[in-house]
């Protein structure tokens, strides 16, 4: 049994290393793109991408570029990019374990996406907020957010997200001790 566990951890480490190397290559490419002095919109987009990919390598660098992306997207008054940047920053704070700032950024993205009628973006944020609620033992709020996200993904028949969210809902049922007698 110990051998199987060690092999699983080894495989997980190799897979994780592969993602980190891939992210590092992408970061290097994005930094190279920045040196080409792109226009303001492209610069803001590159900063946003750096926020996302640095989250796998360095949380501090991800937050640094997130701040730059947010500044540039506000300067451009690009609400679509602003919502994405807030969402990316929310993800970085989640990785960091700072659930307060993660939630604040997700809620900022939510407001923008609500104004833009971006239902897919709203459902993704509902799912992300549910994960925060689960991590902070707010299981009823997590359940409500997961169900909200599930409703959207079922409406568009997104099988992948439906499966993930139903699995998360099952986990919340366990944590709430919502056991049913299936006789």
């Amino acid at each position: 049994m110990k051998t199987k566990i060690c092999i699983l951890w080894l495989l997980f480490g190799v897979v994780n290393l592969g993602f980190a190397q891939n992210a590092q290559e992408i970061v290097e490419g994005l930094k190279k793109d920045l040196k080409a002095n792109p226009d303001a919109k492209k610069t803001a987009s590159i900063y946003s991408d750096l926020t996302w990919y640095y989250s796998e390598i360095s949380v501090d660098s991800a937050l640094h570029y997130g701040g730059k992306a947010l500044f540039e997207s506000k300067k451009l008054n690009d609400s679509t990019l602003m919502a994405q940047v807030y969402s990316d920053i929310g993800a970085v704070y989640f990785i960091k374990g700072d659930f307060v700032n993660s939630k604040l950024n997700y809620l900022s993205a939510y407001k923008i996406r609500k104004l833009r009628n971006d239902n897919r973006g709203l459902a993704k944020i509902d799912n992300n907020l549910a994960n925060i609620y689960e991590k902070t033992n707010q299981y009823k709020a997590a359940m409500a957010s997961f169900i909200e996200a599930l409703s959207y993904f079922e409406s568009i028949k997104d099988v992948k997200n439906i499966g993930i969210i139903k699995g998360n809902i099952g986990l919340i049922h366990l944590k709430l001790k919502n056991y049913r007698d299936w006789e």
Side-chain angles (χ1 to χ4, degrees):
M1 183 65 166
K2 284 184 180 180
T3 304
K4 287 182 183 177
I5 292 172
C6 287
I7 291 171
L8 286 174
W9 277 109
L10 179 62
L11 287 174
F12 178 73
V14 169
V15 168
N16 235 3
L17 180 62
F19 286 133
Q21 285 178 331
N22 189 35
Q24 185 63 47
E25 290 169 9
I26 293 169
V27 163
E28 288 170 13
L30 290 167
K31 285 183 168 182
K32 185 178 176 183
D33 292 345
L34 270 179
K35 289 179 181 175
N37 293 321
D39 64 25
K41 183 159 177 83
K42 182 69 177 169
T43 298
S45 181
I46 292 171
Y47 286 152
S48 177
D49 289 344
L50 284 167
T51 303
W52 180 253
Y53 288 107
Y54 256 125
S55 70
E56 298 178 29
I57 302 166
S58 167
V59 170
D60 291 337
S61 294
L63 292 174
H64 170 76
Y65 283 106
K68 287 181 171 234
L70 197 53
F71 178 79
E72 294 298 326
S73 63
K74 285 180 178 180
K75 215 165 64 169
L76 292 166
N77 200 28
D78 185 334
S79 64
T80 302
L81 184 58
M82 244 185 284
Q84 186 59 52
V85 172
Y86 276 123
S87 186
D88 290 346
I89 293 170
V92 174
Y93 276 117
F94 185 86
I95 291 165
K96 188 176 181 179
D98 183 344
F99 303 123
V100 171
N101 279 313
S102 180
K103 182 179 176 182
L104 289 173
N105 279 280
Y106 281 133
L107 290 174
S108 294
Y110 193 93
K111 287 178 192 173
I112 296 168
R113 289 184 169 163
K114 184 91 171 158
L115 289 172
R116 298 186 53 75
N117 292 317
D118 177 3
N119 293 323
R120 183 175 188 80
L122 290 170
K124 287 182 174 185
I125 292 172
D126 279 326
N127 187 62
N128 293 334
L129 288 170
N131 285 314
I132 291 170
Y133 297 139
E134 186 273 327
K135 289 286 189 191
T136 57
N137 303 318
Q138 299 174 64
Y139 301 127
K140 289 182 181 182
M143 182 69 79
S145 289
F146 278 136
I147 289 171
E148 189 71 28
L150 180 63
S151 174
Y152 171 77
F153 288 117
E154 285 179 334
S155 77
I156 64 164
K157 298 174 181 26
D158 182 333
V159 177
K160 178 184 172 190
N161 280 307
I162 290 169
I164 291 168
I165 293 170
K166 282 186 174 181
N168 287 331
I169 288 172
L171 175 68
I172 298 301
H173 275 297
L174 286 174
K175 290 188 175 193
L176 286 171
K177 299 182 185 334
N178 287 342
Y179 309 121
R180 289 190 182 169
D181 184 10
W182 295 100
E183 293 182 70

